[in-house]
């Protein structure tokens, strides 16, 4: 039986960021969703200080793809070796490495090498696209890394919490059934949901433009914002990422999580945001500063999260109240 042909691609780009900064971004995979556009979620399954296993979900060409990565981190050499298994190509593994070399004090040369056996011709995004995939990943890394000296100002992370004295299943049901939100949430006017696989949702929410984005004017109508959601019912988690958030946001990802205890649970909505660098006046008005963008983003997303949390609480606690009232009435 003839051996399977192998395709290999190696590309290098110059990045205006120090080598240790670029390597840090490559090593910190759980932060990729807010820095690299295609990543929806990265879950670290195990880590021993050098080797790790990751589960990664990406949104490309209108669909969600998941993969498993086994990585070896070599911080002294500024190198990451990896093997990636993609369910779209059963039996095939993409092997490769990222390497970062200093190019002066504040510049780097970043090389991505990838190798894979040839997949069937009809495999989506198969190895015939490996060269384009390599170039695209380098370009996205370069764009993120070259913000390195401004990331403290551009990154924003926060969460909203609410205590619920009701079943976790009812809270999760409310958060999962996003198609019902237009009838329940004041900031949602309409929604459409595509669920190609159980637990993987591509959602378009129609919200009042003035409430959902900062660029809307008084005469603008509703605006649809696409969000990818990964639902993990047994873990009580729903991870989400907006695919094209409104200005001044460049990236917006987060997670709904249910934390149970003896008498109920706490529901948490966490947000991770990357602000854009375009003139803030276009999004927020004349004289706007980064601190204004941070404040307005925090206020808007926090308000919408609290509205959703309040209704999830009501949805879960109402049956409990009715049950208690019924029991009380039977004793009289």
């Amino acid at each position: 039986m003839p051996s399977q042909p192998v395709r290999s691609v190696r590309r290098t780009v110059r990045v205006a960021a120090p080598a240790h900064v670029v390597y840090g971004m490559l090593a910190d995979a759980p932060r990729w969703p807010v820095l690299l556009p295609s990543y929806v979620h990265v879950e670290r399954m195990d880590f021993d200080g050098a080797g790790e296993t990751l589960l990664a979900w990406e949104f490309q060409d209108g669909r969600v793809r998941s993969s498993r990565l086994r990585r070896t981190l070599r911080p002294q050499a500024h190198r990451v070796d990896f093997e990636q298994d993609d369910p779209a190509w059963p039996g095939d593994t993409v092997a490769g490495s990222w390497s970062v070399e200093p190019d002066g004090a504040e510049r780097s040369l970043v090389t991505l090498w990838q190798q894979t056996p040839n997949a069937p011709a009809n495999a989506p995004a198969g190895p015939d696209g490996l060269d384009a995939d390599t170039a695209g990943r380098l370009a996205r890394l370069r764009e993120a890394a070259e913000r390195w000296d401004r990331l403290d100002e551009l990154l924003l992370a926060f969460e909203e919490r609410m205590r619920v004295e009701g079943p976790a299943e009812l809270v999760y049901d409310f958060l999962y059934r996003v198609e019902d939100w237009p009838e329940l949430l004041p900031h949602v006017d309409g929604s459409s949901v595509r669920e190609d696989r159980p637990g993987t949702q591509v959602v378009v929410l129609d919200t009042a433009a003035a409430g959902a984005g900062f660029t809307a004017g008084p005469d603008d109508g509703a605006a649809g914002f696409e969000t990818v959601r990964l639902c993990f019912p047994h873990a009580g988690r729903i991870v989400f990422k907006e695919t094209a958030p409104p200005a001044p946001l460049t990236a917006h990802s987060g997670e709904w999580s249910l934390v149970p205890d003896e008498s109920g649970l706490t529901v948490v909505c966490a947000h991770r945001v990357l602000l854009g660098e375009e003139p803030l006046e276009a999004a927020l008005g004349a004289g706007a500063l980064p601190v204004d963008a941070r404040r307005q983003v925090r206020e808007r997303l926090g308000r919408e999260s609290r509205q959703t949390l309040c209704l999830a609480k009501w949805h879960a606690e109402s049956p409990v109240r009715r049950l208690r009232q019924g029991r009380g009435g039977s004793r009289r």
Side-chain angles (χ1 to χ4, degrees):
M1 183 175 179
S3 60
Q4 196 171 20
V6 173
R7 179 166 175 77
S8 179
V9 173
R10 184 186 301 271
R11 279 180 171 263
T12 300
V13 297
R14 181 172 278 106
V15 178
H20 72 275
V21 169
V22 180
Y23 174 80
M25 286 188 176
L26 291 169
D28 190 6
R31 200 161 64 142
W32 288 353
V34 78
L35 295 175
L36 303 176
S38 66
Y39 283 94
V40 175
H41 181 56
V42 178
E43 189 94 10
R44 178 176 278 150
M45 306 303 293
D46 59 63
F47 181 54
D48 63 10
E52 66 180 358
T53 302
L54 305 172
L55 292 180
W57 288 262
E58 293 186 79
F59 186 66
Q60 294 177 309
D61 302 320
R63 68 190 190 95
V64 180
R65 295 175 59 187
S66 62
S67 60
R68 180 183 296 268
L69 289 90
R70 292 175 296 277
R71 306 203 311 166
T72 302
L73 308 181
R74 308 184 189 278
Q76 298 302 319
H78 289 163
R79 177 186 173 101
V80 180
D81 299 323
F82 65 86
E83 290 185 346
Q84 181 171 0
D85 297 322
D86 190 331
W89 314 336
D92 287 341
T93 298
V94 178
S97 66
W98 292 89
S99 59
V100 187
E101 301 176 40
D103 184 30
E106 295 191 352
R107 300 184 70 87
S108 308
L109 293 174
V110 183
T111 299
L112 173 57
W113 168 74
Q114 295 192 101
Q115 175 180 285
T116 182
N118 278 341
N122 61 352
D128 286 345
L130 191 63
D131 187 68
D133 177 78
T134 302
R137 291 184 186 279
L138 282 167
R140 292 190 290 270
L141 176 69
R142 177 171 59 188
E143 182 180 1
E146 290 185 345
R147 300 186 180 112
W148 70 276
D149 58 344
R150 303 177 299 282
L151 281 180
D152 286 346
E153 187 176 71
L154 298 175
L155 286 171
L156 176 63
F158 62 93
E159 62 184 36
E160 297 288 343
R161 292 171 168 261
M162 185 161 291
R163 176 74 185 166
V164 177
E165 296 182 0
E169 293 81 4
L170 291 181
V171 176
Y172 187 89
D173 176 72
F174 178 86
L175 297 173
Y176 177 80
R177 290 192 296 109
V178 67
E179 65 272 13
D180 295 339
W181 286 8
E183 300 177 1
L184 301 170
L185 291 170
H187 63 274
V188 179
D189 297 327
S191 69
S192 65
V193 182
R194 190 180 86 236
E195 192 163 351
D196 296 332
R197 290 178 295 176
T200 300
Q201 300 176 331
V202 180
V203 178
V204 177
L205 293 179
D206 295 328
T207 59
F214 295 92
T215 58
D219 297 328
D220 290 331
F225 297 103
E226 185 180 65
T227 301
V228 176
R229 306 203 325 162
L230 307 174
C231 305
F232 306 100
H234 298 297
R237 301 170 63 204
I238 297 177
V239 176
F240 62 86
K241 179 172 179 177
E242 286 191 81
T243 61
L249 282 64
T250 294
H252 175 209
S253 65
E255 178 177 337
W256 297 93
S257 57
L258 280 58
V259 184
D261 56 41
E262 293 181 355
S263 59
L265 70 151
T266 300
V267 187
V268 182
C269 183
H271 296 271
R272 294 176 292 276
V273 169
L274 178 64
L275 299 174
E277 296 183 276
E278 70 280 354
L280 292 176
E281 288 84 353
L284 302 181
L289 299 172
V291 66
D292 299 316
R294 294 174 67 88
R295 176 178 53 80
Q296 292 200 30
V297 167
R298 174 68 178 89
E299 288 177 357
R300 177 176 67 83
L301 294 180
R303 180 176 64 253
E304 293 177 357
S305 299
R306 290 191 298 272
Q307 289 173 348
T308 307
L309 286 167
C310 285
L311 282 168
K313 176 182 175 73
W314 176 85
H315 182 75
E317 292 183 351
S318 293
V320 176
R321 284 194 297 269
R322 289 196 295 269
L323 179 61
R324 289 172 177 169
Q325 291 168 357
R327 288 174 176 172
S330 65
R331 289 193 296 267
R332 287 195 297 268

